[in-house]
Amino acid sequence: PSAPPPKARQWSWRSKAFRNIVYQVIALVAVVAIGAYLVHNTLTNMRARGIQSGFDFILQPAGFSIGESLMEFDSAESYAKAFAVGLSNTFRVALAGCFFATALGTLIGVGRLSRNFLVRSLSGAYVDLLRNVPLLLQLFIWYFVLTELLPAIEAPLTPLPGLFLSKNGLQFPIPVWAPGHVWTLVGLAVGVVAAIGWWRWATMQRIVMARDLPRFLPAVLLMVLLPLLAWWLAGMPGGIDRPEKTEINLVGGGAVTPEYLTVLLGLTFYTAAYIAEVVRSGVQAVPFGQHEASAALGLNRGLELRLVLLPQALRVIIPPMTNQYLNLTKNSSLAVAVGYPDLVSISNTSLNQTGRAIECIAIVMACYLTLSLLTSAAMNAYNQRAKLREL
């Protein structure tokens, strides 16, 4: 039999679909009208009080310096570049925080499921303590430790050769850039592609041929050896700029300030406590029959966790993990409390100098909204790849 003809859309008030469209249009017009009224009223009151408004200040010289930044900044440069520096500082602490918090939180979450009483108790104590102490207070504690309890720069700690930790922050060796390093970057890109290819091929071999090939170690070796090979073929350009200790200071190498370390450590340890609970609950959400099947196959506890439980728990872990990444990014705004020049700190300085409160707050809101949407989009794409698919 032939398919029934599609229903014609009824543009009549008796049609529920038509009434829904009308109600949505009315609601949208009302929201736009209220917003326009509020903006007009605000601008009128500001003009009546002689308060300047507009974003024209964004191209004017900032007139202040920034103590720590990835890019060079001079006080004669514009507010736009100052906001860009603040955004880059926020981004680098949030990105590093997400990475370290995920690694630490996963270990703590797995530790909470350990059969060892000591490991399980210490992991539980970590979660209970860190989750119930406000993040701002933890930042103050870390700042006190890094600026008061560490030794002065004249006698720094050396946890590893070439690393110096003191009240002035952390100094470490960095490579000296040379034109030949372009080939090293090419080798790194090829190594990443090769590692991903090996990981997928080994996974397919495990699924189709039941061959348990190592995945992690070969992938890491590919990402390390191929850049080293490219660097060697390019003539081993450049060198290593190592920090050197003088009588009163440390010179050379790279450095991060105690303010950056404070924010990074605070965000990492605080968020890791929440991620640990996400991992623990995700693993416990896997049906108990999967544990029994693993035991029947003779898998030990480590293989069961790595090959059976965690891959299935990932589908439960990803959505709340996205929330933790968003929280970490937004919590980085507390960096202003310890003097780290993040986006909020730059905005406050710009606001005090220009008096453009609404504009500066709008820029901060737009930046955090963009970062949150990008994070959500990336995690949603990953969630689509990890979710169960019916055959």
Side-chain angles (χ1 to χ4, degrees):
S2 59
K7 293 183 179 180
R9 186 179 297 274
Q10 298 180 2
W11 299 104
S12 170
W13 190 253
R14 295 181 178 179
S15 172
K16 182 179 179 181
F18 176 74
R19 292 198 304 270
N20 290 338
I21 294 176
V22 172
Y23 294 149
Q24 292 176 18
V25 171
I26 293 174
L28 179 61
V29 171
V31 170
V32 172
I34 293 172
Y37 169 76
L38 293 175
V39 171
H40 178 267
N41 188 47
T42 302
L43 294 178
T44 301
N45 291 331
M46 291 175 64
R47 282 194 294 268
R49 290 165 174 77
I51 301 176
Q52 294 182 342
S53 62
F55 290 91
D56 56 309
F57 75 97
I58 203 72
L59 298 179
Q60 298 174 0
F64 60 86
S65 59
I66 300 177
E68 182 176 3
S69 63
L70 292 175
M71 58 187 79
E72 294 183 1
F73 180 79
D74 185 78
S75 59
E77 296 183 275
S78 65
Y79 283 101
K81 187 170 182 180
F83 275 103
V85 171
L87 181 60
S88 66
N89 285 342
T90 295
F91 184 75
R92 71 170 180 146
V93 75
L95 187 63
C98 288
F99 174 80
F100 290 116
T102 301
L104 179 60
T106 301
L107 291 176
I108 299 297
V110 173
R112 293 211 64 187
L113 301 173
S114 174
R115 295 173 181 173
N116 186 291
F117 175 78
L118 181 60
V119 173
R120 186 172 65 251
S121 300
L122 290 177
S123 299
Y126 174 91
V127 171
D128 292 337
L129 175 63
L130 271 294
R131 290 208 310 172
N132 291 289
V133 177
L135 175 58
L136 185 59
L137 180 58
Q138 294 186 37
L139 290 178
F140 288 149
I141 293 173
W142 281 112
Y143 192 65
F144 174 79
V145 170
L146 292 173
T147 57
E148 297 295 333
L149 300 185
L150 287 180
I153 194 171
E154 293 84 2
L157 299 176
T158 55
L160 292 173
L163 294 180
F164 297 93
L165 183 62
S166 65
K167 293 181 179 180
N168 285 41
L170 178 67
Q171 282 77 27
F172 50 87
I174 58 173
V176 179
W177 176 258
H181 282 157
V182 174
W183 296 107
T184 306
L185 297 178
V186 172
L188 177 61
V190 174
V192 170
V193 173
I196 294 174
W198 170 264
W199 190 282
R200 291 184 175 180
W201 182 80
T203 302
M204 291 303 300
Q205 290 293 311
R206 174 175 295 168
I207 296 174
V208 178
M209 306 296 295
R211 297 174 58 192
D212 188 14
L213 297 176
R215 292 181 297 176
F216 180 76
L217 184 58
V220 172
L221 289 177
L222 286 172
M223 288 189 293
V224 172
L225 295 180
L226 288 180
L228 288 177
L229 178 61
W231 175 71
W232 179 72
L233 293 176
M236 296 184 291
I240 301 296
D241 183 10
R242 301 179 183 275
E244 297 181 359
K245 185 176 178 301
T246 63
E247 294 183 358
I248 59 174
N249 204 349
L250 289 170
V251 295
V256 290
T257 62
E259 290 76 18
Y260 175 81
L261 291 176
T262 296
V263 179
L264 179 60
L265 292 173
L267 291 175
T268 296
F269 283 91
Y270 179 76
T271 309
Y274 288 89
I275 292 179
E277 285 297 275
V278 171
V279 173
R280 178 196 60 78
S281 60
V283 172
Q284 290 184 331
V286 178
F288 188 73
Q290 299 296 312
H291 166 72
E292 294 175 330
S294 303
L297 293 174
L299 298 180
N300 59 37
R301 182 70 170 171
L303 289 177
E304 175 192 353
L305 187 66
R306 182 168 62 90
L307 302 179
V308 179
L309 298 182
L310 280 180
Q312 297 184 68
L314 197 62
R315 302 174 180 90
V316 182
I317 289 173
I318 293 175
M321 188 78 80
T322 303
N323 292 334
Q324 297 309 320
Y325 291 158
L326 295 176
N327 289 336
L328 187 149
T329 302
K330 291 180 287 187
N331 286 336
S332 65
S333 60
L334 294 175
V336 66
V338 294
Y340 178 67
D342 72 325
L343 181 63
V344 175
S345 176
I346 301 300
S347 173
N348 290 340
T349 305
S350 302
L351 187 154
N352 292 331
Q353 292 192 173
T354 62
R356 310 290 177 90
I358 296 178
E359 291 81 356
C360 291
I361 294 174
I363 292 174
V364 173
M365 291 175 59
C367 290
Y368 277 108
L369 177 62
T370 303
L371 288 178
S372 297
L373 291 178
L374 290 176
T375 303
S376 298
M379 293 300 293
N380 287 337
Y382 183 62
N383 189 35
Q384 287 294 113
R385 291 175 56 89
K387 72 177 184 180
L388 285 173
R389 292 177 174 83
E390 295 183 1
L391 299 177

